Amino acid sequence: MTRKHFKQLAQMIKDNHRLASVRGNPMHVIDSANFIDELCIFLKTQNPRFQEDLFREACGQITS
């Protein structure tokens, strides 16, 4: 991966995190659904053969 890829990933994380209270403690959490959506869009631009359904299944978003 190149610097461009790392910058894009960092921006996606930044865009999809929020502050939440977890058991009374403030924590940064990532909205995984939106993050995975953005990540799939990005990965498709990098690899036209990217298999989104297999990736989403591997992430646990889709169960077979």
Side-chain angles (χ1 to χ4, degrees), residues 1-3 5-7 9-10 13 16-17 19-21 23-24 27 33 35 44 52 54 56 63-64:
M1 288 179 37
T2 66
R3 181 182 299 205
H5 296 115
F6 286 107
K7 284 184 177 182
L9 287 170
I13 292 168
N16 288 289
H17 88 282
L19 192 59
S21 178
R23 295 186 181 142
M27 298 182 123
F35 178 71
K44 284 181 200 175
E52 183 174 344
L54 293 177
R56 287 181 183 274
T63 56
S64 47

Side-chain angles (χ1 to χ4, degrees), residues 18-64:
R18 63 183 172 81
L19 192 59
S21 178
V22 178
R23 295 186 181 142
N25 297 314
M27 298 182 123
H28 290 276
V29 296
I30 291 184
D31 180 343
S32 65
N34 285 338
F35 178 71
I36 291 172
D37 289 346
E38 284 190 32
L39 187 55
C40 285
I41 292 167
F42 173 69
L43 293 172
K44 284 181 200 175
T45 67
Q46 301 303 304
N47 180 354
R49 296 176 58 196
F50 172 69
Q51 296 181 347
E52 183 174 344
D53 55 340
L54 293 177
F55 182 78
R56 287 181 183 274
E57 187 175 355
C59 290
Q61 193 177 46
I62 297 175
T63 56
S64 47

